[in-house]
Amino acid sequence: MNLNDIAAILSKNNAGEQEAIEGYFRLLTYPGLPAELYADISEIISDEMNHSEKLSHWATKLTGIKPNET
């Protein structure tokens, strides 16, 4: 296994984080959620976003490939 293989696995895991975030945002659209549940889901989204940033960081660090600047 080389660094590109590891970066590919990290990227796949990052896609899973993004899918989870999408699902949690969908949950927040349900009317009448208890405030505590809404707050917990928001915290989970924040955690997933943190995981996504870390995975992106490591994919970039391992490969040296950086996102284009806009």
Side-chain angles (χ1 to χ4, degrees), residues 9-67:
I9 293 167
L10 292 172
S11 295
K12 184 175 181 177
N13 290 344
N14 196 359
E17 298 289 347
Q18 294 301 314
E19 188 175 335
I21 290 168
E22 178 185 359
Y24 291 126
F25 274 120
R26 281 197 195 127
L27 284 173
L28 293 179
T29 67
Y30 285 90
L33 286 180
E36 185 178 3
L37 177 56
Y38 189 93
D40 284 345
I41 292 171
S42 295
E43 180 183 339
I44 291 167
I45 291 169
S46 178
D47 289 343
E48 298 293 347
M49 288 176 166
N50 184 46
H51 300 160
S52 182
E53 284 184 10
K54 287 180 181 181
L55 292 167
S56 291
H57 164 80
W58 279 106
T60 298
K61 189 168 181 117
L62 291 174
T63 64
I65 300 171
K66 297 179 183 177

